[in-house]
Amino acid sequence: MESDAQDQNFGLDKEIQTDFQKEMSYGDYLHLDNILSSQRLLSDHHDEMLFIIIHQTSELWMKLILHEVNAAIQCILRNDLEPSFKMLSRVSKIQQQLIQSWNVLTTLTPADYMQFRHKLGRSSGFQSYQNRLIEFALGQKNPGKLAVYRHQADLYKKMCDALGEPSIYDAAISALAANGLPVDGVVLKRDWSVCYEPNNSVEEAWLAVYRNTDKYWDLYELAEKLVDIGNQQQLWRFHHLTTVERIIGHKKGTGGSSGVPYLKKVIDHQFFPELLSLRTKL
């Protein structure tokens, strides 16, 4: 009776399910016991919890990016562009969440981070295989970065396979050709495991799209979705750089990279080059 009275005082609807002996609960569905028990601190420092959760949640967001981008690639390869637009819009929103996560991490001060940084050993965000898969899906292919995964045979094979798959930009270029725009055959049949190089015929094809948006509206919308994603990816990288610089300065990364100098080089990479270069010629 006391429990019923408390439920009524708090406005609990009578129809709300409260008996989960034989029903699946919210926590069951989401496997919260597994997720919330995965924050295993290696130090007794208060801020290590922040550090772990930021990186774990980032990996979950990256998983969703890959889910959406890979599905979008398949749609575009079928020249079925419209379903990909929602997926790509979602990706850009997820990227905004990832960018915001760096702002949260900046509340970790250098003095506090030094209290547990040594516990990381040689582990590093450089080793994030999902981040690499995102780069591959966006067209930044680099076989040299696969070496850090050789100790995990199944993962290494997965990464090698992904390296040889068409990126979303390769798919977009194939959509240009499928819609009657002339693209050099060498681009359409190129080695997908190699990082894409700009091509004049691709730029001319995109220029035709931008000069006649009514005729090529779907291709135009696809192009702008890709530009959004490319910009957000660069913003994420920039915030990564500034966060690292703020917390550890120019120390080397725990995984052996040069740290800030390496991150500055990464920012120089340009996604979907013709979609940016064409703007000067319009």
Side-chain angles (χ1 to χ4, degrees), residues 110-177:
D112 287 327
Y113 183 45
M114 288 305 111
Q115 297 300 309
F116 64 86
R117 186 180 188 237
H118 62 286
K119 294 288 187 178
L120 304 182
R122 305 299 286 175
S123 65
S124 165
F126 178 86
Q127 299 147 19
S128 168
Y129 72 86
Q130 291 198 123
N131 186 35
R132 290 287 166 257
L133 289 174
I134 290 171
E135 289 179 348
F136 291 174
L138 298 184
Q140 186 176 5
K141 306 289 184 77
N142 187 339
K145 291 182 178 179
L146 296 182
V148 297
Y149 310 109
R150 283 204 178 105
H151 67 292
Q152 295 173 274
D154 290 345
L155 176 58
Y156 183 69
K157 182 181 184 305
K158 178 179 180 178
M159 301 296 287
C160 290
D161 290 345
L163 187 73
E165 292 295 321
S167 72
I168 196 162
Y169 196 49
D170 291 315
I173 292 170
S174 74
L176 290 173

Side-chain angles (χ1 to χ4, degrees), residues 34-62 98 101-102 104-105 107-108 112-113 116-117 119-120 123 125 247:
N34 292 332
I35 293 173
L36 298 179
S37 62
S38 295
Q39 295 71 50
R40 300 170 188 174
L41 279 65
L42 299 180
S43 75
D44 59 1
H45 196 278
H46 175 83
D47 284 1
E48 190 183 356
M49 181 67 80
L50 163 70
F51 190 81
I52 290 174
I53 288 177
I54 286 290
H55 288 85
Q56 287 182 339
T57 53
S58 293
E59 290 293 335
L60 285 173
W61 283 125
M62 288 181 189
L98 286 168
S101 72
W102 293 125
V104 179
L105 191 58
T107 64
L108 176 64
D112 287 327
Y113 183 45
F116 64 86
R117 186 180 188 237
K119 294 288 187 178
L120 304 182
S123 65
I247 296 175

Side-chain angles (χ1 to χ4, degrees), residues 218-274:
D218 281 356
L219 288 168
Y220 176 60
E221 187 166 357
L222 173 62
E224 287 299 293
K225 297 291 186 190
L226 293 181
V227 171
D228 286 342
I229 289 173
N231 284 348
Q232 294 291 347
Q233 192 69 7
Q234 291 298 71
L235 284 172
W236 180 82
R237 288 174 164 183
F238 177 75
H239 279 262
H240 184 188
L241 163 66
T242 56
T243 301
V244 169
E245 190 169 35
R246 174 171 176 159
I247 296 175
I248 68 168
H250 284 252
K251 291 184 180 70
K252 282 191 173 183
T254 49
S257 76
S258 59
V260 167
Y262 168 77
L263 295 175
K264 285 182 177 178
K265 290 179 183 177
V266 170
I267 290 177
D268 288 339
H269 176 82
Q270 192 176 72
F271 296 98
F272 323 132
E274 290 90 353

